[in-house]
Amino acid sequence: MPVSAIDTIVADAIEQRIFPGAVVRVARDTIVLHNAAYGATTYDAPERMPVTPTTIYDIASLTKMFTATAALRLYEECLIDLEAPVGAYLPAFRAHNVTIRHLLTHTSGLDLRLSTLCRSGRDALLATVYHTLPAHPPGSRVAYTNINSLLLGEIVATVSGQPLDRAIDALICQPLGLRHTMFCPDSALLARIAPTEFDDAWRGRLVHGTVHDESAYALGGVAGHAGLFSTADDLWRFCRAWLPPTPDCAGGSFLQPETIALATTNHTSGLTLACGLGWMLDRPNFMGPAPSGSYGHTGFTGPALVIIPQHRVIIIVLSNRVHPRRSAPRHHAVTAAIVAATLDSITVRHRETLHTLA
């Protein structure tokens, strides 16, 4: 891996103040090709600290993939039926024609800005969510909204018989050995956590060590759509569990091969965006030139995952691009450029191998 290519991309992004710092990990299966930390956690003191490979970031909507994975593990145990209505698990939910598959593919038709409810408190927020009806027929269009994953998280908690944070720990973190992935991190970890945004409108402070997402904060910091904090190493381990097995790399027993194939197949053919079960598929805005069949996810605060199964490559980018305040999402282009640099490196290595063999 030509380190200079990714180094230059990230250094330019920091200079343009797209984010104050970042961690980038690129791996091929179990082999780490690039693992580097850049910049600082903030632009100014007193919170300013150098970013290290072990810096903990608020991973925002990457939480959705942990929720989806937990749901799919319960599906493998025949405890969740993808075609069952949400109301079968959450009786208070009013929309009878929304299924689990609709939640996983963001085709439920539910359209509710959760951030407008953040001051209402947990019970009132959930009551509004449960009484929301689809704005358009389920399955008719893709509309990426937090309410889908919030509801899925409530289902995971209900079916598993434990709070969502404990369910995700039991179903994902413990089996995969994720030691630094958590909701509501302990204050003792504060020095390792990158702050996010100055919240002048509601919390009146720099958000540091608590979830950035307003509705997840209103729910106590634990929600299906946001709330997790993690590191590049933990996310690499998570993504490795999502690589399909090959004849020479059988993979572990965390997910069945059939589940991986099902979740990374396009379930929204004919609609505007390609969606797997939780995964975003073939999104050039942050995946750049990744070949068809690639999958990944992004988060509002700046993180991104890209998995390229054709090359068995995993790309992790962690940043706090909302610091000190949110702006246009220019960080997607940075991730896309890192993907392009990775693929260029793979092409060069392949050519060098062929030349050596010749």
Side-chain angles (χ1 to χ4, degrees), residues 120-138:
S120 60
R122 176 182 175 83
D123 291 344
L125 191 156
L126 288 176
T128 302
V129 167
Y130 288 159
H131 284 78
T132 299
L133 297 175
H136 44 80

Side-chain angles (χ1 to χ4, degrees), residues 113-343:
R113 288 180 60 85
L114 296 178
S115 60
T116 63
L117 305 172
C118 64
R119 298 175 188 268
S120 60
R122 176 182 175 83
D123 291 344
L125 191 156
L126 288 176
T128 302
V129 167
Y130 288 159
H131 284 78
T132 299
L133 297 175
H136 44 80
S140 65
R141 67 179 74 175
V142 177
Y144 178 82
T145 55
N146 286 337
I147 189 174
N148 295 305
S149 297
L150 189 160
L151 285 165
L152 192 63
E154 293 299 299
I155 291 168
V156 168
T158 299
V159 172
S160 67
Q162 54 191 329
L164 180 62
D165 54 347
R166 295 181 186 174
I168 285 180
D169 185 59
L171 290 167
I172 301 173
C173 297
Q174 291 186 34
L176 294 180
L178 310 186
R179 297 181 298 160
H180 306 292
T181 300
M182 72 209 84
F183 292 95
C184 304
D186 190 276
S187 59
L189 295 171
L190 200 62
R192 288 184 53 198
I193 300 173
T196 50
E197 188 174 24
F198 282 97
D199 183 358
D200 299 322
W202 183 27
R203 287 172 271 193
R205 60 176 173 83
L206 174 66
V207 179
H208 187 191
T210 55
V211 61
H212 173 265
D213 182 270
E214 296 90 346
S215 55
Y217 181 78
L219 291 167
V222 179
H225 63 287
L228 278 174
F229 289 73
S230 192
T231 63
D233 185 73
D234 271 12
L235 291 173
W236 169 55
R237 294 171 187 275
F238 173 77
C239 289
R240 278 168 52 194
W242 274 102
L243 278 174
T246 63
D248 59 339
C249 181
S253 58
F254 178 72
L255 288 168
Q256 298 171 11
E258 295 80 8
T259 302
I260 295 174
L262 179 68
T264 58
T265 296
N266 185 7
H267 290 256
T268 56
S269 179
L271 302 181
T272 54
L273 293 171
C275 298
L277 298 180
W279 290 108
M280 299 175 177
L281 310 180
D282 303 330
R283 304 290 177 90
N285 68 313
F286 74 94
M287 295 183 185
S292 178
S294 300
Y295 43 98
H297 213 286
T298 62
F300 187 81
T301 54
L305 310 176
V306 179
I307 300 176
I308 306 174
Q310 179 176 324
H311 300 296
R312 301 192 66 77
V313 163
I314 296 165
I315 299 169
I316 312 291
V317 181
L318 291 177
S319 77
N320 53 337
R321 71 98 189 173
V322 296
H323 183 81
R325 288 174 177 81
R326 69 190 73 186
S327 59
R330 296 183 292 159
H331 62 297
H332 291 321
V334 178
T335 302
I338 290 170
V339 173
T342 300
L343 291 173

